[in-house]
Amino acid sequence: MTQIEQIPLEPVDALSVTVLVNNVVDMLSVDEGPARHPVIGSEPRVPAPVLDLAETFDALRAEHGFSALVNVVRGEREHRLLFDTGISPDGLVENMRRLELSPRDVEAVVLSHGHFDHVGGMDGLARELGRANLPVVIHPEAWSRRRLALPGRDPVEIAAPSRSALEGAGFELIEQRDPSFLLDGSLLVTGEVDRTTDFEQGMLPSHQAHHRGDWRPDPLVLDDQALVADVRGKGLVVLTGCGHAGVVNTLRYVRKLTGSAHLHAVIGGFHLSGRHFEPLIGPTCDAFAELAPDFLVPAHCTGWKATYALASRFPDAFLQAGVGTRFTFQGIDTPSRTRPVDRTGIESRGS
């Protein structure tokens, strides 16, 4: 990988991350630390003739995928963007409706990688917005045709984002392989992640990509990238989609890019589910002990065994992320929020 100069990420005064799509939803979760969960009974109601009240909660939906709404406050500016969009066409926008969040307030979309369970909600977003006119940050490898070719089974092709469909819907595609800034330097998209651990080897060899007319092993998933903010006086908050690059590789790379050693929170998929990845749980926990983030928020493809291991080993750092959970990180000695302003540009930081 090309050597990248250290990037001075501008601290933000406040950051909130609202989970819009995740594999789990828990209506009984208790608020803890920076985590606030939807209050049971606050949901909209829908008719239910079989119940004696003739109505029930219009409950949030869980699905295999990930999406988060990221709110950033710096000085008098507030910005909102989406990090991934989930698997189904309507899951994202329906959960936003239930949470009384408007897709029209979103100023940009960052896609962590090209797998269908992170980009499927772009369809519903496009239909909700009409002509979208939103910038979408995406790695060039995310367009790759991919499939799973498991031994003894017919290959199963994995849906990828369609360039023509996204452009036709009005999205402004911004392809970045190198690290890039968003929103006046308030957020960093890592681009390709350095692979430095000896245990995070990516996907199975059965994960293949179609290049130059042939199917070839694609274990590295080079388009996997993370989103990073530096909360003033607290440290780095890192969002991962699946963490195919390895969550430890990603965190080490983020510290290398920013020159900041302290990790305040890690939120998202750590991809430790399944027989091939469960052996990584122990080394990953050992690495987290060394990295010492203040908060660990596993989601999506982390898997229940890894989630249990993380909760057991790091009880003071572990937080549960259900659909609708909002994590708020307030900077130290920062001004209060004022008003939102227009979107700003995206600046490449590649060498």
Side-chain angles (χ1 to χ4, degrees):
M1 176 172 289
T2 303
Q3 293 297 313
I4 303 294
E5 64 183 34
Q6 197 172 92
I7 294 176
L9 183 59
E10 294 289 340
V12 302
D13 297 324
L15 177 79
S16 70
V17 179
T18 304
V19 179
L20 300 177
V21 176
N22 193 18
N23 294 39
V24 298
V25 60
D26 186 349
M27 298 175 68
L28 303 177
S29 292
V30 177
D31 292 348
E32 183 180 5
R36 295 293 179 267
H37 303 281
V39 178
I40 187 169
S42 63
E43 302 93 339
R45 308 298 176 95
V46 291
V50 298
L51 300 179
D52 59 356
L53 297 179
E55 66 177 15
T56 189
F57 301 129
D58 190 11
L60 294 164
R61 297 180 183 178
E63 62 179 41
H64 180 86
F66 190 71
S67 177
L69 179 68
V70 180
N71 280 50
V72 181
V73 178
R74 197 171 111 207
E76 296 185 353
R77 297 186 172 188
E78 179 178 358
H79 298 284
R80 300 173 181 87
L81 62 81
L82 285 174
F83 181 71
D84 287 346
T85 62
I87 187 172
S88 68
D90 297 321
L92 167 66
V93 293
E94 282 297 306
N95 281 340
M96 291 189 78
R97 177 182 64 79
R98 290 167 172 83
L99 292 167
E100 298 183 336
L101 298 170
S102 174
R104 298 187 180 279
D105 292 334
V106 173
E107 302 170 49
V109 180
V110 176
L111 296 177
S112 66
H113 63 298
H115 284 164
F116 61 97
D117 49 338
H118 296 259
V119 302
M122 294 294 293
D123 181 74
L125 188 63
R127 285 189 280 108
E128 186 75 16
L129 295 175
R131 186 71 180 172
N133 296 322
L134 282 181
V136 175
V137 180
I138 188 168
H139 189 284
E141 294 290 329
W143 310 112
S144 300
R145 286 180 58 198
R146 286 172 165 144
R147 72 178 188 179
L148 289 176
L150 298 173
R153 301 184 185 181
D154 292 334
V156 177
E157 192 156 352
I158 302 172
S162 166
R163 182 193 300 272
S164 61
L166 292 179
E167 288 179 337
F171 292 107
E172 176 192 352
L173 302 178
I174 301 173
E175 297 186 45
Q176 295 281 7
R177 191 178 297 271
D178 296 318
S180 58
F181 278 148
L182 292 171
L183 310 178
D184 288 335
S186 299
L187 293 172
L188 172 68
V189 182
T190 62
E192 287 181 25
V193 172
D194 264 338
R195 314 301 169 99
T196 56
T197 69
D198 59 2
F199 60 91
E200 292 174 319
Q201 301 297 319
M203 295 283 285
L204 293 163
S206 57
H207 182 267
Q208 300 178 345
H210 196 265
H211 286 299
R212 299 179 181 176
D214 195 14
W215 289 101
R216 303 177 183 182
D218 179 36
L220 294 182
V221 194
L222 291 177
D223 45 316
D224 187 83
Q225 55 189 2
L227 186 68
V228 187
D230 181 5
V231 179
R232 189 181 305 278
K234 295 288 185 68
L236 302 175
V237 176
V238 182
L239 274 72
T240 65
C242 269
H244 289 301
V247 64
V248 179
N249 282 333
T250 300
L251 296 178
R252 289 179 177 176
Y253 185 56
V254 165
R255 296 205 306 185
K256 172 185 173 183
L257 282 177
T258 62
S260 177
H262 188 66
L263 296 167
H264 190 46
V266 186
I267 303 171
F270 301 167
H271 213 280
L272 296 170
S273 182
R275 285 185 300 174
H276 180 74
F277 299 101
E278 286 172 3
L280 278 61
I281 294 174
T284 301
C285 286
D286 291 342
F288 274 134
E290 180 264 324
L291 292 164
D294 296 327
F295 298 106
L296 271 173
V297 190
H300 179 38
C301 55
T302 303
W304 71 268
K305 288 185 179 180
T307 299
Y308 176 78
L310 291 166
S312 299
R313 186 159 175 182
F314 307 103
D316 295 332
F318 174 83
L319 294 172
Q320 184 176 358
V323 178
T325 304
R326 183 176 188 179
F327 301 91
T328 301
F329 307 101
Q330 184 68 41
I332 296 175
D333 296 329
T334 60
S336 61
R337 184 178 67 181
T338 54
R339 59 180 178 83
V341 299
D342 293 338
R343 73 185 62 158
T344 58
I346 297 169
E347 177 187 356
S348 174
R349 295 292 299 184
S351 59

